[in-house]
Amino acid sequence: MPVSKWLLALYLVSAGKNGVSALELQRHLGLGSYQTAWFIGHRLREAMKREPLASLMSGTIVADETFIGGAPKNKHRQGQGKGGYGNRRPGGGTAHLQPLLALVNRETGEVYTKVVTDVTGPTLRKAMETVVDFGESHLMTDAGKQYRPMGEQDFISHEWVNHGNWEYVRGHVTTNQAESFF
C-alpha cells in the first residue's frame, strides 16, 4: 500500500465526526477489497488508542457507579425482544442493566471507567486497586455503604454526600464530576 493511501485513510478516520466505515474507506481510497479497507481502518484505530495510565491515579478521586442499558423489551437483536430471553430474565429492578464504575481524578480531569459485575465493596475495591494509589489519595463518593470500609482503611480520607437527604454538594465534597461524566 502506498503511504499516500495510508495518510488519506488516517485523515478520513480522524476527521470523521462519527467515524468511518470500511466501505467508505474502500470507496475513498479506491481499494478493490473490503478486507483491505477493514484492515487499514482497524490498524489506524489501534494506533490511535490511548496509552494505558503511566502511573496510578492519586489526589482527590471521585468515585461513582451507574447502570447502563435499556429495558429488556427494547432489545430486539438475537431474540432478546418480545418473548425472547430478555423478557424472562430473573430479578427485576436493575437486574438487566450493566453496572459501570467511574473514577475521576479531580486535579487532572483524568477519567477511568470499568464495567463491573456488581457494585459491592470487594468488587469496587478490586477494580480501583489497579488504577488508584490508595495511600496517596482522598476518596469522594455518595453515601453508598460499599465505599466505607475501603475509605476508612485504604485512603487518606473519605468524604461523601448523602443524595438521600438531597445533599449533592457540601463545601468541596461532591460527586458531580463522575455524574457529569455519565
Side-chain angles (χ1 to χ4, degrees):
M1 284 295 284
V3 173
S4 60
K5 289 196 185 227
W6 279 97
L7 292 174
L8 179 57
L10 177 61
Y11 170 76
L12 293 171
V13 168
S14 61
K17 181 174 133 183
N18 296 323
V20 62
S21 69
L23 282 173
E24 191 172 350
L25 280 176
Q26 182 182 4
R27 280 193 305 272
H28 283 291
L29 300 176
L31 300 173
S33 166
Y34 172 83
Q35 288 80 10
T36 303
W38 184 89
F39 177 85
I40 290 172
H42 276 270
R43 289 298 165 263
L44 291 173
R45 288 182 192 96
E46 184 70 26
M48 292 191 304
K49 270 187 182 176
R50 185 173 177 198
E51 290 296 318
L53 294 174
S55 62
L56 296 176
M57 291 176 139
S58 63
T60 303
I61 306 298
V62 179
D64 200 13
E65 69 282 339
T66 192
F67 294 87
I68 306 292
K73 68 178 182 172
N74 295 329
K75 295 181 182 176
H76 299 292
R77 296 185 70 199
Q78 292 130 4
Q80 297 291 314
K82 298 175 179 158
Y85 172 78
N87 288 335
R88 296 192 305 267
R89 196 158 182 186
T94 59
H96 62 282
L97 300 176
Q98 182 64 58
L100 178 72
L101 170 68
L103 304 170
V104 180
N105 186 324
R106 196 184 255 179
E107 284 83 24
T108 65
E110 190 170 32
V111 179
Y112 173 81
T113 58
K114 173 116 174 117
V115 174
V116 292
T117 55
D118 55 59
V119 292
T120 61
T123 303
L124 296 178
R125 187 186 192 295
K126 186 176 179 183
M128 292 171 77
E129 68 188 7
T130 59
V131 294
V132 176
D133 186 355
F134 290 140
E136 298 291 323
S137 301
H138 302 273
L139 180 64
M140 289 193 187
T141 65
D142 55 22
K145 292 180 181 173
Q146 65 270 32
Y147 293 107
R148 301 251 174 101
M150 79 176 101
E152 293 169 0
Q153 298 167 6
D154 300 323
F155 287 87
I156 295 171
S157 67
H158 176 213
E159 298 183 77
W160 63 86
V161 290
N162 189 350
H163 297 329
N165 290 340
W166 301 97
E167 179 184 50
Y168 296 92
V169 177
R170 185 180 65 252
H172 69 283
V173 182
T174 182
T175 59
N176 286 345
Q177 293 85 2
E179 291 170 3
S180 296
F181 174 77
F182 292 135

